Amino acid sequence: MSEVAAIGDVGQQSARVVGRSPWALAGRRLLRNRSALIALAGFIVIVVACCAAGWYADSVAHTNPFVSTVDGTTLIDGKQQPVMVESSGGLGLGVTPIGPTWDIHHYFLGADSQGRDVAARMLYGGRNSLIIGTVSALLCCFFATLIALIAGFFGGIVDQILSRVLDLIWAFPVFLLAISVSTVALTSDIPIGPITLSAGSIWLPIIIISVIYVPYVARPIRGQVLSVREKEFVEASIGLGASNLRLIFSEVLPNVVTTVIVFFPLMIATNMLIESALSFLGIGVQPPDASWGTIISDGQGLLYTRPWVAIAPGIAIATTVLCLNVLGDGVRDALDPRARLRVGRR
Amino acid sequence: MRHYRKPLAIAVALAVAVGAAGPAVAKTSGQAAAAKAAARAKLMAEHRGGTFTMLAKGAGGSLDPQINYTLQYWQLYQSTQDGLVAFKHAAGTKAFTLVPDLAVALPKPTDGGKTWTFKLRKGIKYSTGATVQPRDFLWTFQRIFKVHTPTAGGFYSGLVGADKCLKTPATCDLSKSVVIDNKAGTVTFHLVKPDAEWLYKLAVPHASVLPWGTPNKDMGTKLPPSTGAYMFTKYDPNHELVLKRNPNFKQWSVDAMPDGFVDSIVQKFGLSVEAEVTQVENGQADFLFDFPPADRLNEIGTKYPNQVHINTLFADWYAPMNVNLAPFNNKLARQAVNYAIDRNAAVRIFGGPKTAVPSCQMLPPGFPAYVAYCPYTKNPGSGKWTAPDLAKAKALVKQSGTAGQKVAIVGANDEVTKGMLTYLQSVLNSIGYKATIKPLSSNISFTYIQNTKNKVQISVSQWYQDYPAPSDFLNVLLGCGSFHPGSDTSINISGYCNKKVNADMQKALQLGIEDPPAALKLWTKVDKATTDDAAQAVLFNPRLIDFVSKRVGNYIWSAQFYTLVGQVWVQ
């Protein structure tokens, strides 16, 4: 195809999409991205499965995955067998939890060292991981956008102060900061206004993760705000006498929101990984509650005899993060103006 | 004097018996000793040499023998440090026997048990080449207070003037309570009151002698001078601790400080316990300091049964309940918890029935004054725990009026303790409480649960004996004197202080000097009373699994200091 013809095609495409909103265009682009759609479907399946945790535990597996059942039994091949099997060979040392039965009614993925159903804990754990990942990403993106808008729009001393605060938070080693805050919170409750963060509260990892990643999201958005602030249409609005509030929310925000949207799924993935790491270290979700990180931590002591306890949540984390990253890429492609050319060529 | 009648009678009887047997007995015992020495010399010739490699997850902290309070290094000090007396280097509970070490003989107390005079052996040298002198003991005991030895306030507070030393350690002067006579070569201790356990307290590493002039600050990673068979030659807490033969050591008592077989002992740090097991399996290392992980127990028990040693520990895993906080300020609530706990389940979490024995009482089986007693079981009477009694537990909770209250269970966040916390949560919920758990870092949990300011209702803790006396469990863990509100070092975690029981404890301590058998009977009564008061729920007595490499020989388990690392051979 010659260059002229190609330009001509683009011109025709442009003519066809006239009248559609940028969001509709983005939606169309996203729907044409098969990888992103598969990732979205995968993510939805995971979310639905995790939301069904209570139903699975109560009605399918008939188990309470938060209660120690070291003296429990289960049905395997029609026979009642102990969940924790005492060694009968050699010196008779050790007690090993049963491995995967691959029967969804009875310890599908086996038991952990407390005799709890790993499959049921996986689903409950996934729910916690998803909630923490999503809510912390929401909070993180919200505060990051707010700070970026204020810093980038007003500039000067406001920008200086906010930017240094962000630098300060970002300069702290992420895990050291998280460990410090968590340790304090675990030994004594932390009052934040009317709310008191207590040990074991799911809000603890949510707040920690959302705070430590605010600079990561805020800094590029601030850069964009600085750029948009100098655009002609903003100058025009200023000339028309628009207030700062109107300028920020009507002129600047709509032009940076796509970046925030692109960040959001990626931040869910990142935050889920951080949550898993914190829980693995014992400072995220507190037992007997589960998250995928805590289940990996529980499975660490069973790697030789029951590796599935650690492998299963590992696979779940990897799959979810992969889905979110591919979806995030798809959203970026859909919202990125440069992607229009690719759509035009299809 | 009346109270000395029994030991005196035994001594007289022995003397008469020996006299009657005449020189034949003396000759026989002399021959036996000579034969024993010859056999040991033969073994020494055959097996002397090599390096014994031990593995530990991490270093044990300061190497200062007056500061370190970990089994990890106490196991080593038994081959490097000496005090006036020592626990016998022998197998099992024979190790509870006290033998003279730097002292010529075990003294008899005078002044009603308040004065103890030791005569020093002559010519014993430190690894530095200096000779051990009486004045070193004055320096050593003052140093205990100046460097804040963890047991300064517990073990050595009975010395005259110790109270002042505890208040102002920097100016500690014990010259009136640790009296030295360089000419006679004696050291005399003056105590405020009789202490039947004084010799035990002198036999632990915190009382091991250090040269006059040793800096009165924590040695940290600096190497302490040794008087024993081995001396420390390198300490890098990130890498390894190395012990080699002490060139100035000449064996003076095979019971107190025997010569070692291996030329050097190396303790390496930094591997995961899983990796440690693999190294010992492969013969890359000889000994695992840490407890083998639960998922490797079956493997080592079936594949390497000859390299595994299962040893009885004099220790408790227990759940102290705060008797000053609801709901456990109610005795019925505490008893309910005791009835509800399935000790077998706790044992399973710990590693199975071969690794621990269920228990209800503080004194462990086989310990002085132990008489099996367990009211908190189905079908009580045998003294042994058999099964939980949930119905009774629920009834007691109802009767106590504490049902529905919130309870937080606190403990360390290591794998096993976390398992215990989760299990206890299930138990408490099942009898009507709303339980949550609070696993804390192992570094802070032990002090956290001791401090009343943290308002801990129930926790999970462990206690391992320091020396073989019932008071080390009962008086230390449940005596009124061990309860210090607002302090991080209030080892009476439950805050239990029953004045009548405490009076019995004090009486038993006093009787220990005058009439030891009567004291033991009284301790048995105290053990029963504290079990009935249920200030804690004892879970089980753990056992220790030692896993050694194929080449390790002469493995000896001492009930006092565990594996006698200086006595193993590797070739």
Side-chain angles (χ1 to χ4, degrees), chain B residues 38-49 245 251 258-262 566-567 569:
Chain B
R40 186 170 168 83
K42 192 178 169 226
L43 287 174
M44 194 58 85
E46 284 171 3
H47 297 289
R48 196 175 169 90
R245 287 189 187 282
Q251 183 178 293
D259 194 8
F261 284 95
V262 293
Q567 295 309 296
W569 62 59

PDB file of all heavy atoms in Angstrom, chain B residues 38-49 245 251 258-262 566-567 569:
ATOM      1  N   ALA B  38      40.916 -45.497  81.896  1.00  0.00           N
ATOM      2  CA  ALA B  38      41.665 -46.155  80.815  1.00  0.00           C
ATOM      3  C   ALA B  38      40.795 -46.300  79.574  1.00  0.00           C
ATOM      4  O   ALA B  38      41.244 -46.078  78.436  1.00  0.00           O
ATOM      5  CB  ALA B  38      42.139 -47.533  81.291  1.00  0.00           C
ATOM      6  N   ALA B  39      39.524 -46.655  79.809  1.00  0.00           N
ATOM      7  CA  ALA B  39      38.605 -46.815  78.681  1.00  0.00           C
ATOM      8  C   ALA B  39      38.419 -45.487  77.963  1.00  0.00           C
ATOM      9  O   ALA B  39      38.409 -45.428  76.722  1.00  0.00           O
ATOM     10  CB  ALA B  39      37.269 -47.336  79.193  1.00  0.00           C
ATOM     11  N   ARG B  40      38.310 -44.421  78.744  1.00  0.00           N
ATOM     12  CA  ARG B  40      38.129 -43.096  78.148  1.00  0.00           C
ATOM     13  C   ARG B  40      39.377 -42.685  77.370  1.00  0.00           C
ATOM     14  O   ARG B  40      39.285 -42.105  76.283  1.00  0.00           O
ATOM     15  CB  ARG B  40      37.800 -42.076  79.244  1.00  0.00           C
ATOM     16  CG  ARG B  40      37.455 -40.721  78.682  1.00  0.00           C
ATOM     17  CD  ARG B  40      36.896 -39.770  79.691  1.00  0.00           C
ATOM     18  NE  ARG B  40      36.855 -38.430  79.123  1.00  0.00           N
ATOM     19  CZ  ARG B  40      35.893 -37.964  78.339  1.00  0.00           C
ATOM     20  NH1 ARG B  40      34.866 -38.717  78.048  1.00  0.00           N
ATOM     21  NH2 ARG B  40      35.943 -36.742  77.836  1.00  0.00           N
ATOM     22  N   ALA B  41      40.540 -43.014  77.957  1.00  0.00           N
ATOM     23  CA  ALA B  41      41.796 -42.672  77.267  1.00  0.00           C
ATOM     24  C   ALA B  41      41.893 -43.422  75.932  1.00  0.00           C
ATOM     25  O   ALA B  41      42.343 -42.871  74.928  1.00  0.00           O
ATOM     26  CB  ALA B  41      42.983 -43.029  78.161  1.00  0.00           C
ATOM     27  N   LYS B  42      41.415 -44.649  75.929  1.00  0.00           N
ATOM     28  CA  LYS B  42      41.452 -45.448  74.705  1.00  0.00           C
ATOM     29  C   LYS B  42      40.525 -44.826  73.639  1.00  0.00           C
ATOM     30  O   LYS B  42      40.900 -44.671  72.471  1.00  0.00           O
ATOM     31  CB  LYS B  42      40.992 -46.876  75.025  1.00  0.00           C
ATOM     32  CG  LYS B  42      41.263 -47.855  73.907  1.00  0.00           C
ATOM     33  CD  LYS B  42      40.830 -49.259  74.278  1.00  0.00           C
ATOM     34  CE  LYS B  42      40.877 -50.134  73.033  1.00  0.00           C
ATOM     35  NZ  LYS B  42      39.702 -50.947  72.874  1.00  0.00           N
ATOM     36  N   LEU B  43      39.337 -44.475  74.105  1.00  0.00           N
ATOM     37  CA  LEU B  43      38.380 -43.831  73.186  1.00  0.00           C
ATOM     38  C   LEU B  43      38.952 -42.520  72.657  1.00  0.00           C
ATOM     39  O   LEU B  43      38.809 -42.180  71.476  1.00  0.00           O
ATOM     40  CB  LEU B  43      37.052 -43.549  73.902  1.00  0.00           C
ATOM     41  CG  LEU B  43      36.169 -44.755  74.194  1.00  0.00           C
ATOM     42  CD1 LEU B  43      34.970 -44.350  75.030  1.00  0.00           C
ATOM     43  CD2 LEU B  43      35.682 -45.382  72.882  1.00  0.00           C
ATOM     44  N   MET B  44      39.599 -41.790  73.557  1.00  0.00           N
ATOM     45  CA  MET B  44      40.181 -40.499  73.173  1.00  0.00           C
ATOM     46  C   MET B  44      41.239 -40.706  72.094  1.00  0.00           C
ATOM     47  O   MET B  44      41.318 -39.943  71.123  1.00  0.00           O
ATOM     48  CB  MET B  44      40.764 -39.831  74.415  1.00  0.00           C
ATOM     49  CG  MET B  44      41.112 -38.365  74.272  1.00  0.00           C
ATOM     50  SD  MET B  44      39.723 -37.332  73.791  1.00  0.00           S
ATOM     51  CE  MET B  44      38.955 -36.994  75.358  1.00  0.00           C
ATOM     52  N   ALA B  45      42.030 -41.760  72.258  1.00  0.00           N
ATOM     53  CA  ALA B  45      43.077 -42.042  71.271  1.00  0.00           C
ATOM     54  C   ALA B  45      42.465 -42.431  69.924  1.00  0.00           C
ATOM     55  O   ALA B  45      42.966 -42.061  68.867  1.00  0.00           O
ATOM     56  CB  ALA B  45      43.963 -43.160  71.790  1.00  0.00           C
ATOM     57  N   GLU B  46      41.350 -43.127  69.999  1.00  0.00           N
ATOM     58  CA  GLU B  46      40.731 -43.609  68.752  1.00  0.00           C
ATOM     59  C   GLU B  46      39.959 -42.515  68.015  1.00  0.00           C
ATOM     60  O   GLU B  46      39.915 -42.496  66.785  1.00  0.00           O
ATOM     61  CB  GLU B  46      39.748 -44.749  69.075  1.00  0.00           C
ATOM     62  CG  GLU B  46      40.427 -46.073  69.393  1.00  0.00           C
ATOM     63  CD  GLU B  46      39.434 -47.104  69.917  1.00  0.00           C
ATOM     64  OE1 GLU B  46      38.220 -46.819  69.973  1.00  0.00           O
ATOM     65  OE2 GLU B  46      39.897 -48.193  70.296  1.00  0.00           O
ATOM     66  N   HIS B  47      39.322 -41.645  68.774  1.00  0.00           N
ATOM     67  CA  HIS B  47      38.357 -40.728  68.151  1.00  0.00           C
ATOM     68  C   HIS B  47      38.744 -39.256  68.209  1.00  0.00           C
ATOM     69  O   HIS B  47      37.974 -38.410  67.765  1.00  0.00           O
ATOM     70  CB  HIS B  47      36.992 -40.905  68.819  1.00  0.00           C
ATOM     71  CG  HIS B  47      36.416 -42.270  68.637  1.00  0.00           C
ATOM     72  ND1 HIS B  47      35.940 -42.723  67.433  1.00  0.00           N
ATOM     73  CD2 HIS B  47      36.275 -43.297  69.515  1.00  0.00           C
ATOM     74  CE1 HIS B  47      35.502 -43.964  67.573  1.00  0.00           C
ATOM     75  NE2 HIS B  47      35.699 -44.342  68.822  1.00  0.00           N
ATOM     76  N   ARG B  48      39.869 -38.939  68.762  1.00  0.00           N
ATOM     77  CA  ARG B  48      40.232 -37.528  68.936  1.00  0.00           C
ATOM     78  C   ARG B  48      40.470 -36.878  67.571  1.00  0.00           C
ATOM     79  O   ARG B  48      41.115 -37.461  66.698  1.00  0.00           O
ATOM     80  CB  ARG B  48      41.496 -37.428  69.787  1.00  0.00           C
ATOM     81  CG  ARG B  48      41.773 -36.051  70.365  1.00  0.00           C
ATOM     82  CD  ARG B  48      42.978 -36.129  71.292  1.00  0.00           C
ATOM     83  NE  ARG B  48      43.454 -34.824  71.680  1.00  0.00           N
ATOM     84  CZ  ARG B  48      43.021 -34.163  72.754  1.00  0.00           C
ATOM     85  NH1 ARG B  48      42.089 -34.702  73.510  1.00  0.00           N
ATOM     86  NH2 ARG B  48      43.503 -32.980  73.060  1.00  0.00           N
ATOM     87  N   GLY B  49      39.942 -35.676  67.402  1.00  0.00           N
ATOM     88  CA  GLY B  49      40.196 -34.932  66.166  1.00  0.00           C
ATOM     89  C   GLY B  49      38.938 -34.644  65.370  1.00  0.00           C
ATOM     90  O   GLY B  49      37.845 -35.100  65.688  1.00  0.00           O
ATOM     91  N   ARG B 245      40.314 -26.041  70.594  1.00  0.00           N
ATOM     92  CA  ARG B 245      40.813 -26.514  71.889  1.00  0.00           C
ATOM     93  C   ARG B 245      41.505 -25.381  72.636  1.00  0.00           C
ATOM     94  O   ARG B 245      42.227 -24.585  72.032  1.00  0.00           O
ATOM     95  CB  ARG B 245      41.822 -27.646  71.672  1.00  0.00           C
ATOM     96  CG  ARG B 245      41.182 -28.937  71.243  1.00  0.00           C
ATOM     97  CD  ARG B 245      42.194 -30.052  71.268  1.00  0.00           C
ATOM     98  NE  ARG B 245      41.629 -31.262  70.700  1.00  0.00           N
ATOM     99  CZ  ARG B 245      40.803 -32.069  71.344  1.00  0.00           C
ATOM    100  NH1 ARG B 245      40.458 -31.794  72.596  1.00  0.00           N
ATOM    101  NH2 ARG B 245      40.313 -33.154  70.768  1.00  0.00           N
ATOM    102  N   GLN B 251      42.588 -31.352  81.990  1.00  0.00           N
ATOM    103  CA  GLN B 251      41.382 -31.893  82.624  1.00  0.00           C
ATOM    104  C   GLN B 251      41.597 -32.122  84.121  1.00  0.00           C
ATOM    105  O   GLN B 251      42.527 -32.816  84.518  1.00  0.00           O
ATOM    106  CB  GLN B 251      41.007 -33.208  81.950  1.00  0.00           C
ATOM    107  CG  GLN B 251      39.718 -33.811  82.483  1.00  0.00           C
ATOM    108  CD  GLN B 251      39.355 -35.086  81.763  1.00  0.00           C
ATOM    109  OE1 GLN B 251      39.036 -35.061  80.585  1.00  0.00           O
ATOM    110  NE2 GLN B 251      39.453 -36.204  82.454  1.00  0.00           N
ATOM    111  N   PRO B 258      35.023 -32.319  81.156  1.00  0.00           N
ATOM    112  CA  PRO B 258      35.833 -33.343  80.495  1.00  0.00           C
ATOM    113  C   PRO B 258      36.511 -32.785  79.249  1.00  0.00           C
ATOM    114  O   PRO B 258      36.022 -31.829  78.630  1.00  0.00           O
ATOM    115  CB  PRO B 258      34.808 -34.406  80.108  1.00  0.00           C
ATOM    116  CG  PRO B 258      33.522 -33.668  80.014  1.00  0.00           C
ATOM    117  CD  PRO B 258      33.590 -32.515  80.962  1.00  0.00           C
ATOM    118  N   ASP B 259      37.634 -33.382  78.909  1.00  0.00           N
ATOM    119  CA  ASP B 259      38.306 -33.007  77.666  1.00  0.00           C
ATOM    120  C   ASP B 259      37.395 -33.401  76.498  1.00  0.00           C
ATOM    121  O   ASP B 259      36.615 -34.354  76.603  1.00  0.00           O
ATOM    122  CB  ASP B 259      39.648 -33.754  77.579  1.00  0.00           C
ATOM    123  CG  ASP B 259      40.550 -33.166  76.507  1.00  0.00           C
ATOM    124  OD1 ASP B 259      40.187 -32.104  75.950  1.00  0.00           O
ATOM    125  OD2 ASP B 259      41.596 -33.751  76.219  1.00  0.00           O
ATOM    126  N   GLY B 260      37.494 -32.698  75.400  1.00  0.00           N
ATOM    127  CA  GLY B 260      36.614 -32.981  74.262  1.00  0.00           C
ATOM    128  C   GLY B 260      37.272 -33.889  73.240  1.00  0.00           C
ATOM    129  O   GLY B 260      38.499 -34.022  73.213  1.00  0.00           O
ATOM    130  N   PHE B 261      36.459 -34.506  72.392  1.00  0.00           N
ATOM    131  CA  PHE B 261      36.995 -35.393  71.356  1.00  0.00           C
ATOM    132  C   PHE B 261      37.387 -34.621  70.102  1.00  0.00           C
ATOM    133  O   PHE B 261      38.441 -34.840  69.538  1.00  0.00           O
ATOM    134  CB  PHE B 261      35.963 -36.472  71.010  1.00  0.00           C
ATOM    135  CG  PHE B 261      35.871 -37.552  72.052  1.00  0.00           C
ATOM    136  CD1 PHE B 261      34.921 -37.493  73.053  1.00  0.00           C
ATOM    137  CD2 PHE B 261      36.743 -38.632  72.036  1.00  0.00           C
ATOM    138  CE1 PHE B 261      34.844 -38.476  74.019  1.00  0.00           C
ATOM    139  CE2 PHE B 261      36.664 -39.626  73.004  1.00  0.00           C
ATOM    140  CZ  PHE B 261      35.715 -39.552  73.999  1.00  0.00           C
ATOM    141  N   VAL B 262      36.514 -33.736  69.665  1.00  0.00           N
ATOM    142  CA  VAL B 262      36.800 -33.046  68.396  1.00  0.00           C
ATOM    143  C   VAL B 262      37.792 -31.900  68.627  1.00  0.00           C
ATOM    144  O   VAL B 262      37.898 -31.366  69.722  1.00  0.00           O
ATOM    145  CB  VAL B 262      35.507 -32.491  67.750  1.00  0.00           C
ATOM    146  CG1 VAL B 262      34.606 -33.623  67.313  1.00  0.00           C
ATOM    147  CG2 VAL B 262      34.786 -31.541  68.683  1.00  0.00           C
ATOM    148  N   GLY B 566      30.762 -31.190  73.459  1.00  0.00           N
ATOM    149  CA  GLY B 566      32.186 -31.477  73.593  1.00  0.00           C
ATOM    150  C   GLY B 566      32.485 -32.967  73.639  1.00  0.00           C
ATOM    151  O   GLY B 566      33.640 -33.372  73.516  1.00  0.00           O
ATOM    152  N   GLN B 567      31.442 -33.767  73.823  1.00  0.00           N
ATOM    153  CA  GLN B 567      31.673 -35.204  73.989  1.00  0.00           C
ATOM    154  C   GLN B 567      31.398 -36.032  72.738  1.00  0.00           C
ATOM    155  O   GLN B 567      31.670 -37.222  72.716  1.00  0.00           O
ATOM    156  CB  GLN B 567      30.817 -35.726  75.156  1.00  0.00           C
ATOM    157  CG  GLN B 567      31.214 -35.132  76.489  1.00  0.00           C
ATOM    158  CD  GLN B 567      32.705 -35.259  76.754  1.00  0.00           C
ATOM    159  OE1 GLN B 567      33.232 -36.355  76.882  1.00  0.00           O
ATOM    160  NE2 GLN B 567      33.411 -34.126  76.794  1.00  0.00           N
ATOM    161  N   TRP B 569      32.023 -37.393  68.965  1.00  0.00           N
ATOM    162  CA  TRP B 569      33.177 -37.533  68.085  1.00  0.00           C
ATOM    163  C   TRP B 569      32.715 -37.675  66.644  1.00  0.00           C
ATOM    164  O   TRP B 569      31.566 -38.065  66.391  1.00  0.00           O
ATOM    165  CB  TRP B 569      34.091 -38.673  68.508  1.00  0.00           C
ATOM    166  CG  TRP B 569      33.501 -40.069  68.499  1.00  0.00           C
ATOM    167  CD1 TRP B 569      32.970 -40.737  67.444  1.00  0.00           C
ATOM    168  CD2 TRP B 569      33.434 -40.960  69.614  1.00  0.00           C
ATOM    169  NE1 TRP B 569      32.570 -41.984  67.817  1.00  0.00           N
ATOM    170  CE2 TRP B 569      32.842 -42.163  69.150  1.00  0.00           C
ATOM    171  CE3 TRP B 569      33.830 -40.877  70.948  1.00  0.00           C
ATOM    172  CZ2 TRP B 569      32.626 -43.262  69.970  1.00  0.00           C
ATOM    173  CZ3 TRP B 569      33.611 -41.975  71.767  1.00  0.00           C
ATOM    174  CH2 TRP B 569      33.002 -43.157  71.278  1.00  0.00           C
TER     175      TRP B 569
END
